Amino acid sequence: MTAHVPKKHLGQNFLVDPNIKNKIIAACRLQKDDIVLEIGPGPGALTRIIAAQVKTLYAVETDARFCEDLKRDPDLEAVKVIHGDILKYDLKSLPPGTKVIGNLPYYISSPIIERLIGHRSIFPQCFLTVQWEFGRRLTAQPHTKDYGSLSCFAQYYGDVKILFKIPPAAFRPAPRVVSCFVAITSREPQIKAHNEPLLFDIIRTAFQQRRKKISNSLKTFANRETLAEIFAKCRINAGDRAENLSLADYIRITNAFPPRLQTSA
Ligand code: SAM
């Protein structure tokens, strides 16, 4: 395959370390009848190995140079190479049960993960390489600086695990940051919010002002008396800050909102 000059603005840091490639593939536990979506195949470091092990592989890549190379490669004839933007590609066209694998372009990790979670009925498992700090935010627990709305969103809809760290030297060109490989497994919420848009609106608002007391940051949602009643009912200390509340606390707060105030989003 032709060696193309990497485009920095497309997050092109290509995986070159064979041990890490093998670790990634082993972690995905591919089966012969798997249908896989690969995000950003680039020159195909993972594409070749995945294609040899699964039934169907869709590979969505925005850089036309790599799409042409992949389409011309006789070993990859069966791969459905799609030239497009993963943020626009019609994910609903993929069969339910599709596994997602991707060494993500870091500049759009957040919107990609939001989209994948938004289509979780199609994707039971996502295996993704992300920046280490981003992986920490996805898996963070209350009372830590990494804990925020991304942690709550990802953990509401799935189990998120960091499987291993990946050093910059595993890529060419080497990024300036450490990376990690994460697995997101979709599941039903452990406690369901009656109004999910309101839940995420409350969480986002709380973390936008993470230094403020929760009683202050949520005052756009209800008057002081109503908020005090909600906190008392949920046994939440109104003096707590956003990062002190668990996801379960936010769900209880949302579910305690009186019906007349369940109007968010
Ligand atoms: N999978 C290859 C590897 O592991 O070496 C390449 C990974 S590289 C970090 C990210 C890849 O995503 C690049 O090939 C880049 O062109 C592609 N990419 C960037 N933005 C994209 C987008 N919006 N939609 C699809 N692919 C994109």
Side-chain angles (χ1 to χ4, degrees):
M1 183 165 290
T2 334
H4 297 298
V5 177
K7 292 182 178 170
K8 208 173 162 186
H9 72 280
L10 290 179
Q12 293 184 345
N13 300 95
F14 303 120
L15 191 58
V16 290
D17 183 325
N19 292 328
I20 300 289
K21 276 185 220 174
N22 291 338
K23 249 177 123 168
I24 287 178
I25 296 297
C28 299
R29 294 173 187 274
L30 297 172
Q31 309 285 325
K32 272 201 185 80
D33 58 353
D34 273 348
I35 298 170
V36 173
L37 163 67
E38 188 189 5
I39 300 175
L46 298 172
T47 321
R48 278 181 188 75
I49 317 179
I50 301 169
Q53 296 189 22
V54 304
K55 185 167 135 205
T56 313
L57 173 58
Y58 297 84
V60 178
E61 169 60 61
T62 198
D63 188 332
R65 302 173 304 170
F66 293 122
C67 292
E68 280 159 27
D69 290 353
L70 294 170
K71 282 181 185 168
R72 268 202 300 264
D73 190 324
D75 293 341
L76 300 177
E77 255 172 16
V79 177
K80 298 177 194 309
V81 178
I82 297 141
H83 178 212
D85 177 349
I86 192 62
L87 297 179
K88 299 196 181 130
Y89 179 66
D90 178 17
L91 298 174
K92 289 199 191 79
S93 65
L94 296 169
T98 300
K99 240 179 212 179
V100 179
I101 303 178
N103 173 11
L104 293 192
Y106 294 167
Y107 73 108
I108 45 170
S109 297
S110 260
I112 291 178
I113 287 185
E114 274 173 35
R115 250 201 122 205
L116 293 175
I117 292 177
H119 290 78
R120 63 194 170 282
S121 59
I122 302 173
F123 307 121
Q125 282 184 305
C126 301
F127 295 96
L128 307 168
T129 302
V130 296
Q131 205 171 322
W132 170 247
E133 272 72 26
F134 189 84
R136 298 264 310 217
R137 284 169 54 212
L138 280 172
T139 53
Q141 296 299 311
H143 313 292
T144 63
K145 71 171 174 35
D146 293 319
Y147 180 61
S149 39
L150 178 70
S151 332
C152 292
F153 181 68
Q155 294 170 33
Y156 181 77
Y157 289 115
D159 292 319
V160 193
K161 273 198 190 118
I162 295 182
L163 301 182
F164 48 87
K165 261 188 179 180
I166 308 180
F171 302 93
R172 196 152 304 140
R176 264 181 282 169
V177 294
V178 171
S179 304
C180 62
F181 195 59
V182 300
I184 305 178
T185 309
S186 302
R187 57 147 169 69
E188 281 302 303
Q190 285 162 335
I191 318 171
K192 194 141 172 57
H194 304 325
N195 181 339
E196 289 172 355
L198 177 62
L199 169 70
F200 295 114
D201 206 1
I202 286 175
I203 291 174
R204 257 191 314 272
T205 307
F207 282 102
Q208 269 159 8
Q209 308 164 71
R210 61 190 295 146
R211 297 270 147 252
K212 276 196 183 170
K213 291 177 184 168
I214 199 79
S215 51
N216 277 331
S217 50
L218 297 190
K219 67 184 178 202
T220 51
F221 290 91
N223 64 34
R224 208 148 40 118
E225 293 72 35
T226 309
L227 276 182
E229 279 167 27
I230 292 171
F231 293 142
K233 189 171 166 192
C234 301
R235 295 172 193 277
I236 281 164
N237 180 351
D240 275 350
R241 313 289 202 256
E243 68 187 35
N244 304 125
L245 303 191
S246 66
L247 173 58
D249 289 333
Y250 285 111
I251 297 168
R252 282 189 295 122
I253 291 175
T254 307
N255 289 349
F257 264 66
R260 71 190 155 81
L261 295 176
Q262 298 263 349
T263 54
S264 176

